[in-house]
Amino acid sequence: MAEAETEIQMCDAAVTLAFSVLGKRWNGMIVSTLGGGPSTFVALRRAVAGISDTVLSDRLAELTQAGLVARTVDAGPPVTVSYALTASGEGLLPILSQLGQWASANLEVPAH
């Protein structure tokens, strides 16, 4: 019985770790958007409707620190910065797709 309890705690810790990053508003949408390929800050801001520049900047920094997004600077001219998913970030795409399918089938869209 103790072994089963240990497995449950390990799973809970892993899920907790995943949601410490993905549970933050916008992070899943940013990863999903970058699933279409590398993007600039401006293109990401347009693609993720409603996000502010400050929050997008913070979330990109967090996702980069977590190893899910890579930031590349092209010295130019002009200097351009692009963001792309790392291999770890790309590994999330099928999971996000499944999560979206589950949400469509099981959650109601709140009425406005």
Side-chain angles (χ1 to χ4, degrees), residues 17 46-47 50 81 84 88:
L17 178 59
R46 287 184 192 135
V81 178
S88 294

Side-chain angles (χ1 to χ4, degrees), residues 42-61:
V42 172
L44 279 170
R45 188 182 65 222
R46 287 184 192 135
V48 182
I51 194 167
S52 71
D53 287 356
T54 302
V55 173
L56 179 56
S57 180
D58 290 347
R59 294 301 186 263
L60 286 168

Side-chain angles (χ1 to χ4, degrees), residues 3 6 50 63 74-75 81 105:
E3 186 176 320
T6 301
L63 291 168
D74 180 5
V81 178

Side-chain angles (χ1 to χ4, degrees), residues 1-78:
M1 187 77 120
E3 186 176 320
E5 289 176 13
T6 301
E7 289 178 27
I8 291 171
Q9 290 174 349
M10 290 175 64
C11 178
D12 183 51
V15 170
T16 300
L17 178 59
F19 276 96
S20 71
V21 175
L22 296 177
K24 288 190 176 181
R25 186 172 184 197
W26 308 112
N27 281 356
M29 290 173 274
I30 293 167
V31 170
S32 181
T33 300
L34 287 173
S39 184
T40 64
F41 185 91
V42 172
L44 279 170
R45 188 182 65 222
R46 287 184 192 135
V48 182
I51 194 167
S52 71
D53 287 356
T54 302
V55 173
L56 179 56
S57 180
D58 290 347
R59 294 301 186 263
L60 286 168
E62 290 170 5
L63 291 168
T64 300
Q65 186 176 7
L68 302 175
V69 171
R71 180 179 186 267
T72 304
V73 179
D74 180 5

